[in-house]
Amino acid sequence: MNPVARRMAAIWRSARLRVVNRRVRTGGESRDPDGVVMMDARAPIPADPEERETMLVVESADQDRDVNIKLRPHRMVLQRVPEAGWDRIVVEERTVVVLVNGLWIWIHQDGSVSRERDGGLTQIDADGAVVKTTDSVEAAMSADGVELTRRTSSSLAAIREDGMVAKTRNGPSSRSD
C-alpha cells in the first residue's frame, strides 16, 4: 500500500446510509433520532429536511471525528465536530461554502473566493482583484497589482500607474506625480 493510501485508510473506517425521521406522522418528535439504516443503499431525498433527513455517516477510524453528509434536494452538507478542523462544508450547484473556526469561505463557480469574519468581507475576484470591506474602510487592489485604493468616510487614497491621489472628503486634495 502506498503512503497516501495508507494515510487515507487510517482516517475513515466505514459508512452507513441513514434516513432520519425528524417528526413522526402524529406531528411529535421522532423517538429514533439516530435514524434507520438502509439495507438496500437507496433512500429518497425529501424536500423538507425538517420532516425527514437522508444522510450518510462516514465513521472515522478514531470514532470521534465522524462526518455526516446530509443530502438535500439542492445541496449536500458535510458536517463534523469543529475541533477536527473544518466544521461544515456546503456543496451547492454553483458554490462550495466552508466553515472553519467561525470563518465562512465561499468558493464560487467562476473561481472567485469570498471570506467573512467579524463583519469584514474579503473578496478575491476570478481575475485576481482583491476587495476588503469592513464597517469603516474599503480597500482594493487590481488584479495586476498596479492600482491600490482605500476609502473611508473621511478620505480617499489611490496609487495608480500615473501617480498617487489622496483626498479628504469635503476638504483639500493632494496629488503626487
Side-chain angles (χ1 to χ4, degrees):
M1 183 182 296
N2 69 41
V4 173
R6 190 176 14 248
R7 226 177 30 227
M8 293 302 290
I11 297 173
W12 309 114
R13 184 171 51 103
S14 65
R16 284 184 284 163
L17 181 62
R18 295 181 181 178
V19 176
V20 178
N21 290 309
R22 296 287 181 207
R23 292 190 172 89
V24 293
R25 292 180 196 256
T26 60
E29 290 295 318
S30 173
R31 288 188 212 122
D32 185 15
D34 291 333
V36 177
V37 176
M38 302 301 290
M39 301 312 271
D40 65 355
R42 271 182 79 90
I45 299 176
D48 184 2
E50 294 298 320
E51 294 294 325
R52 173 182 258 181
E53 190 166 53
T54 301
M55 73 175 74
L56 178 65
V57 178
V58 182
E59 297 174 340
S60 63
D62 56 11
Q63 298 180 348
D64 65 343
R65 298 178 193 252
D66 294 354
V67 175
N68 293 327
I69 304 172
K70 298 177 179 186
L71 304 170
R72 309 277 169 82
H74 302 294
R75 68 177 58 140
M76 290 187 295
V77 179
L78 288 73
Q79 189 170 350
R80 66 180 183 176
V81 295
E83 296 82 33
W86 56 267
D87 178 12
R88 188 172 306 153
I89 300 173
V90 179
V91 180
E92 298 177 330
E93 184 177 2
R94 293 183 168 90
T95 307
V96 175
V97 185
V98 181
L99 176 62
V100 180
N101 297 324
L103 171 70
W104 286 100
I105 303 167
W106 290 265
I107 305 165
H108 306 283
Q109 73 176 7
D110 65 356
S112 62
V113 177
S114 304
R115 68 185 290 274
E116 183 177 13
R117 174 177 254 157
D118 301 329
L121 177 65
T122 305
Q123 297 173 285
I124 304 173
D125 292 339
D127 67 356
V130 179
V131 178
K132 173 71 176 181
T133 307
T134 67
D135 292 338
S136 60
V137 69
E138 178 183 295
M141 179 176 69
S142 64
D144 58 7
V146 173
E147 294 186 10
L148 301 169
T149 60
R150 179 181 172 271
R151 293 181 188 155
T152 67
S153 60
S154 61
S155 67
L156 169 67
I159 300 173
R160 301 174 30 141
E161 233 176 337
D162 59 352
M164 292 181 3
V165 175
K167 181 177 181 180
T168 304
R169 294 183 189 239
N170 301 324
S173 68
S174 62
R175 181 177 173 104
S176 169
D177 291 317

